[in-house]
Amino acid sequence: AAIPALLYFFCLFLSVVFQARKQNIQAVGALTEEMRLSRQEKANLLMIALPILLILVLLLTPKEAVGCGPLGWLLGAQTNDASGSCIATDLPWILQLAQNSAGDAGSAGWWSVVLLLGLLFIDPQVRAAPVRIVNALAQSGVLISTLYLMFLAVTVIDVSLSFTGLSDYVSRDILGWLRGLEISAAETPMLLFVALVVTMLLAVLLGVGMPTVPAYINVALLMGPMLIGLGIATFTAHMFIFYFAVASAITPPVAIAAFAAASLTKSDPMSTGFAAVRSGIVMFVIPFVFAFYPELLLIDAAILDAGSGTFLPGYDGEPHGMALVWLVMRIVVALYLLSSALTRFDRGPIGGGEMIARLLLAVAVVMADPLIYGPGLALAVALLAWHAGRARPGVLPARAH
């Protein structure tokens, strides 16, 4: 989910920029000495960066690639290049350990924790009192125990749903309702969109007042089979549900994350919740994008048919190269239009008509049909150019912020 996550943070960045322009918030100026990172603070950043880097290396390294290359040669790995590709046949114990951990999320997490335990000694406070590490491990044990108790409670719900067959009933009833809409086979994307909207509403509803994990599991049990039955790959369906399980934390009327933020800022909880939804609206958009374009998730499991194990129609399992880059560029343009429309400010204030135009163009730009996204992209560029020219000093009247 790297690309959807980057798109999400990009849109959050745009929302902050547009809101700052709207409120005429200026830069604070030059950095003061208190703002500058000390040498020790820069060293402490290694405790964050290196474990994450280790996780990425282990997850992205194919098992068959371990032992190949200069590092494998230096460590004495035996390789066979007769077939034209490197195949490690005899690995030393350290490379064997790396091969066992490559591509495994659990192993990557454990090794990152081991690395972090060593990196903690960079901090002089930890070196002065190593018992801090023991206390941190104890607190982690309490946290994990709480998490397992949460899973136990969710397991009770899972057993109840399986025993009563409620998840099957819900899936069949919703599929029957969707078929009752009399949407033809040519309009299957519309049918899928309606199913996704129903899943979104159910995820937000069941996630009200609940942590992310049980909210995700409940909705996955109820709606996962229906989405998979409509042709979405299993991994993509679960990623779609997970995103909205997370989004339920900022969705009024019971927005747990927004209420917690309001208690810190001493602001109105409901106003904070609606502000959070407005700022994080892209969280409600990105899942629909990768539901229709699963190649954005960058793994085969996102574009595999659950029943046959073959790729979904339109995908062959090969990287799409420039097609994927072009898709990401179109999504970036759509997110720019969406963020500015919701903030109602770009280089200058945005009126009601322009806001509606930006929203419509944002939808058109991400459509799959070139006859739709082509003119939509051209109109979007023209609209942004017109707005930039209109917002030049002296063109628009001065506006109090």
Side-chain angles (χ1 to χ4, degrees):
I3 290 182
L6 290 175
L7 293 174
Y8 172 66
F9 286 116
F10 170 74
C11 194
L12 284 182
F13 168 76
L14 290 178
S15 298
V16 172
V17 170
F18 294 143
Q19 193 66 34
R21 291 177 181 175
K22 184 177 182 180
Q23 297 180 357
N24 198 24
I25 299 175
Q26 302 297 325
V28 296
L31 292 176
T32 63
E33 287 301 321
E34 292 79 8
M35 297 179 183
R36 299 183 186 277
L37 292 176
S38 65
R39 178 179 299 180
Q40 182 59 50
E41 289 171 335
K42 292 178 180 178
N44 289 345
L45 291 177
L46 294 176
M47 292 187 285
I48 300 175
L50 292 183
I52 295 177
L53 180 62
L54 178 61
I55 291 176
L56 292 176
V57 169
L58 289 177
L59 289 180
L60 298 178
T61 301
K63 289 185 180 294
E64 60 273 11
V66 176
C68 298
L71 181 60
W73 178 77
L74 288 174
L75 294 176
Q78 301 294 323
T79 59
N80 181 10
D81 297 324
S83 60
S85 60
C86 176
I87 302 176
T89 56
D90 187 14
L91 297 176
W93 68 271
I94 188 170
L95 290 182
Q96 185 65 56
L97 197 61
Q99 187 181 62
N100 293 338
S101 303
D104 182 69
S107 299
W110 280 111
W111 283 117
S112 68
V113 171
V114 172
L115 176 61
L116 178 60
L117 291 177
L119 292 174
L120 286 174
F121 287 94
I122 295 176
D123 191 342
Q125 296 181 357
V126 174
R127 293 199 300 269
V131 71
R132 289 172 176 262
I133 297 179
V134 178
N135 294 334
L137 292 175
Q139 293 176 6
S140 300
V142 173
L143 179 62
I144 293 175
S145 300
T146 305
L147 184 62
Y148 271 100
L149 289 175
M150 185 188 304
F151 279 129
L152 179 62
V154 172
T155 302
V156 175
I157 299 174
D158 184 13
V159 172
S160 300
L161 291 175
S162 300
F163 182 75
T164 60
L166 179 61
S167 57
D168 294 335
Y169 294 143
V170 170
S171 299
R172 284 200 297 265
D173 289 344
I174 294 180
L175 283 173
W177 172 69
L178 292 174
R179 292 192 185 98
L181 296 177
E182 297 181 354
I183 299 177
S184 65
E187 296 172 304
T188 301
M190 184 61 187
L191 178 65
L192 180 58
F193 177 76
V194 174
L196 292 173
V197 170
V198 173
T199 304
M200 176 195 72
L201 296 176
L202 190 59
V204 171
L205 178 63
L206 292 181
V208 168
M210 294 180 65
T212 299
V213 174
Y216 155 70
I217 294 178
N218 287 336
V219 182
L221 291 171
L222 289 173
M223 303 301 293
M226 183 200 68
L227 294 180
I228 296 170
L230 288 173
I232 294 183
T234 303
F235 180 84
T236 309
H238 282 269
M239 280 297 299
F240 181 89
I241 295 169
F242 179 75
Y243 258 73
F244 285 110
V246 174
S248 65
I250 63 170
T251 308
V254 188
I256 295 179
F259 276 44
S263 66
L264 298 176
T265 59
K266 309 300 181 184
S267 60
D268 179 63
M270 291 301 294
S271 299
T272 304
F274 285 111
V277 172
R278 188 167 58 252
S279 300
I281 192 68
V282 69
M283 185 181 293
F284 299 86
V285 176
I286 292 295
F288 285 93
V289 175
F290 67 66
F292 287 98
Y293 298 103
E295 65 268 32
L296 286 173
L297 297 177
L298 294 180
I299 60 173
D300 289 347
I303 53 179
L304 285 176
D305 183 79
S308 62
T310 58
F311 290 101
L312 296 174
Y315 308 104
D316 53 9
E318 296 297 327
H320 290 274
M322 291 305 300
L324 181 60
V325 174
W326 174 240
L327 173 60
V328 172
M329 292 175 60
R330 289 195 287 124
I331 295 174
V332 167
V333 174
L335 292 179
Y336 186 96
L337 294 170
L338 178 64
S339 298
S340 58
L342 294 177
T343 311
R344 299 198 68 171
F345 201 92
D346 188 349
R347 297 183 179 276
I350 294 176
E354 186 180 351
M355 180 191 70
I356 295 175
R358 289 188 179 224
L359 292 176
L360 294 176
L361 288 175
V363 175
V365 166
V366 295
M367 289 293 175
D369 191 348
L371 296 178
I372 298 178
Y373 75 70
L377 194 59
L379 290 174
V381 172
L383 178 62
L384 293 176
W386 171 81
H387 177 85
R390 183 171 175 268
R392 286 181 302 174
V395 178
L396 284 177
R399 179 177 182 270
H401 296 279

